[in-house]
């Protein structure tokens, strides 16, 4: 079992870009990055229904991680310190038995069940293709969960219900394959 990654671990497949909080008004390059992150988040549930100040808080707290196709993102039982938001690429989530549970693409989140249940990974995740992940730190996740009902309701909904809602909203179905 691979040791749990922390924000201080950097390997060839894990690149962290820390965007310091409260820097939205400093520097054009930083402003452009934060605006890009914020705009992308705002296009996807549950972030699309958050107020501007909450989106700014999320964008200012994000770290960015890159995973190559086939690389493990989360391992069963490891401590999870972040909500994972897929910026680009795709990930597969697995049951404890190793059976495929779900495939997620751009704009999807995962890791929330573990964050809500003792911060332990419940569904291991692997990059299906080269994948860029926005890591939203647990304290920011918890603040959103505690203070924004739309966010809390979204992360508590079962995945199958969320998939039906996503299909209705976008007209595109995410495919769940049972092996």
């Amino acid at each position: 079992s691979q040791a749990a990654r922390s924000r201080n671990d950097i390997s060839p497949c894990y690149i962290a870009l820390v965007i310091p909080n409260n820097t939205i008004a400093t520097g054009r390059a930083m402003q452009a990055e934060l605006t890009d992150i914020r705009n992308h988040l705002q296009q996807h549930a549950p972030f699309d229904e958050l107020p501007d100040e909450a989106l700014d808080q999320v964008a200012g707290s994000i770290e960015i991680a890159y995973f190559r196709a086939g690389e493990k993102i989360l391992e069963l039982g490891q401590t999870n310190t972040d909500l994972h938001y897929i910026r680009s690429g795709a990930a597969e989530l697995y049951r404890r038995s190793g059976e495929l549970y779900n495939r997620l693409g751009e704009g999807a989140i995962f890791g929330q069940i573990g964050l809500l249940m003792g911060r332990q990974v419940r569904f291991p995740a692997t990059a299906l293709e080269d994948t860029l992940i926005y890591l939203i730190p647990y304290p920011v996740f918890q603040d959103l969960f505690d203070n924004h009902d739309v966010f809390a309701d979204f992360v508590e909904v079962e995945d199958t219900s969320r998939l039906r809602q996503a299909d209705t909203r976008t007209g595109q179905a995410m495919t769940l394959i049972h092996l």
Side-chain angles (χ1 to χ4, degrees), residues 106-119:
E106 183 177 340
I109 60 171
F110 62 95
Q112 69 272 20
I113 301 301
L115 291 175
L116 292 169
M117 301 180 70
R119 297 181 22 180

Side-chain angles (χ1 to χ4, degrees), residues 66-74 86 88-94 104 110 124-133:
Y66 172 78
F67 297 89
R68 292 187 184 125
E71 185 180 359
K72 293 181 183 197
I73 299 170
L74 292 172
I86 301 175
S88 63
E92 292 181 323
L93 277 61
Y94 294 89
L104 303 172
F110 62 95
T126 301
L128 181 61
E129 57 192 59
D130 290 357
T131 302
L132 197 63
I133 304 276

